[in-house]
């Protein structure tokens, strides 16, 4: 099915996006100095920095920093603002949010595969797929901001000396690659959400497995049996039992009332019971009989 292929593509790209983002997030090779030239700067990542005799500009002590350290180490307390300006802290924060977005998107996409978690977590598939798509697309947007800001501000000579001796390294490239795969996964999930929403609007929630198809078929068979077992409305007229629609019963009652109107009460009452009418003797006939009897 097309939905299964879309979900497979979304799942694979979500895994690649998370792995690439995690490696780029943890590795210290975002910005690196050329190896053939001498530079007081070595490499720097989001959480790790290597320096080769870096001296803070206009430092009266002229302290030199050598070695690789955690970026929040107390060794760099005097040059903390030089290593981590405001824009660098925003890059760190956006990278954390992007990493968690990729992680949650990958987990939610994975939980759609088992039928147990699919039935509990994906009761409303369009809404869940929209949420998952929002996570992946949001992570891709944050990666786009991180890549743009870091690439632009790394050329600032006030941050690292001699920027023409440095270049963006492979950790930065992995982060950019993770943003691309996050965008692909988010678009696939968004298409899945639209497909399932269209099916629900048309009265068809969609079937994604043979087990669900068999379950729906059994439910439809039970509904048919329940409809067949409902009692039928019947009416008796001294003969065989037959079913008569409600509107025909009303029409028959109206026609009968119109036919009975204007008849003698004795004929109407007799016809209602299926008996022959008994004529009522007139007054003149009874008087003639009495007169004849008196002459005899």
């Amino acid at each position: 099915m097309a939905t299964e292929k879309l979900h497979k593509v979304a799942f694979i790209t979500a895994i690649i996006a998370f792995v690439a983002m995690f490696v780029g997030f943890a590795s210290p090779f975002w910005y690196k100095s050329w190896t053939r030239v001498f530079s007081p700067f070595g490499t720097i990542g989001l959480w790790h920095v290597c320096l080769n005799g870096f001296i803070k500009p206009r430092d009266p002590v002229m302290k030199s920093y050598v070695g690789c350290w955690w970026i929040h180490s107390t060794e760099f307390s005097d040059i903390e603002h030089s290593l981590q300006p405001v824009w660098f802290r925003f890059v760190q924060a956006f990278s954390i949010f992007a990493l968690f977005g990729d992680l949650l998107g990958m987990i939610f996409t994975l939980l759609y595969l088992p039928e147990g978690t699919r039935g509990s977590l994906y009761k409303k598939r369009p809404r869940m797929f929209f949420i998952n798509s929002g996570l992946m697309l949001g992570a891709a947007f944050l990666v786009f901001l991180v890549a743009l800001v870091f690439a632009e501000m790394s050329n600032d000579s006030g941050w690292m000396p001699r920027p023409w001796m440095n270049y963006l390294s492979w950790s930065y490239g992995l982060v950019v690659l993770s943003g691309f795969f996050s965008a692909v996964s988010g678009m696939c999930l968004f298409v899945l959400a639209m497909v399932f929403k269209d099916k629900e609007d048309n009265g068809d929630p969609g079937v994604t497995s043979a087990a669900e198809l068999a379950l729906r078929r059994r439910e439809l068979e039970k509904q048919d049996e329940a409809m067949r077992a409902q009692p039928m409305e019947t009416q008796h007229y001294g003969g065989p039992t037959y079913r008569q629609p409600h509107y025909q019963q009303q029409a028959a009652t109206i026609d009968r009332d119109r036919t009975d109107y204007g008849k003698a009460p004795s004929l109407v009452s007799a016809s209602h019971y299926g008996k022959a009418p008994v004529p009522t003797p007139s007054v003149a006939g009874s008087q003639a009989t009495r007169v004849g009897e008196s002459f005899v």
Side-chain angles (χ1 to χ4, degrees), residues 5 11 18 21 50-51 93 102 148 177 192 196 203 207 261 289:
K5 293 181 180 179
F11 178 58
F18 172 73
M21 184 65 196
C50 293
L51 300 176
D102 287 333
L148 185 64
L177 191 64
L192 278 174
F196 284 115
V207 177
Y261 180 76
T289 305

Side-chain angles (χ1 to χ4, degrees), residues 2 7 14 16 24 33 35 44 53 55-56 58 133 201 208 252 258-259:
H7 182 266
I16 297 175
S33 176
T35 56
I44 191 171
I55 299 176
K56 180 182 177 181
R58 296 181 296 275
S133 174
D201 292 341
T208 57
R258 290 178 179 176
T259 306

Side-chain angles (χ1 to χ4, degrees), residues 203-204 207 212-228:
D204 182 13
V207 177
E212 292 186 11
L213 180 62
L215 180 61
R216 288 189 57 194
R217 185 180 294 113
R218 286 195 298 268
E219 291 178 355
L220 292 175
E221 290 177 356
K222 289 181 181 179
Q223 292 178 2
D224 291 340
E225 292 177 358
M227 292 178 64
R228 292 174 184 174

Side-chain angles (χ1 to χ4, degrees), residues 169-184:
S169 189
W170 59 268
S171 297
Y172 173 83
L174 283 179
V175 172
V176 175
L177 191 64
S178 73
F180 170 75
F181 282 106
S182 297
V184 173

Side-chain angles (χ1 to χ4, degrees), residues 38-59:
F38 175 77
S39 175
F41 165 71
T43 61
I44 191 171
L46 294 180
W47 316 106
H48 192 268
V49 61
C50 293
L51 300 176
N52 299 320
F54 177 82
I55 299 176
K56 180 182 177 181
R58 296 181 296 275
D59 185 7

Side-chain angles (χ1 to χ4, degrees), residues 31-35 37-40 161-167:
Y31 197 53
K32 191 176 185 301
S33 176
W34 293 103
T35 56
V37 297
F38 175 77
S39 175
R162 302 168 187 165
W164 57 88
M165 294 183 178
N166 309 321
Y167 64 95

Side-chain angles (χ1 to χ4, degrees), residues 108 111-112 114-125 127-128 212:
F108 289 155
L111 291 178
Y112 183 76
E115 294 188 1
T117 55
R118 183 191 308 174
S120 58
L121 186 62
Y122 283 85
K123 288 183 179 180
K124 295 183 178 180
R125 295 182 186 179
R127 184 182 66 179
M128 195 62 199
E212 292 186 11

Side-chain angles (χ1 to χ4, degrees), residues 81-116:
H81 296 290
S82 299
L83 291 178
Q84 302 178 70
V86 176
W87 64 266
F88 190 85
R89 295 181 184 273
F90 273 105
V91 167
Q92 289 177 326
F94 288 168
S95 299
I96 292 173
F97 293 147
L99 180 66
F100 275 100
D102 287 333
L103 177 62
L104 292 177
M106 183 189 66
I107 291 175
F108 289 155
T109 310
L110 175 64
L111 291 178
Y112 183 76
L113 296 176
E115 294 188 1

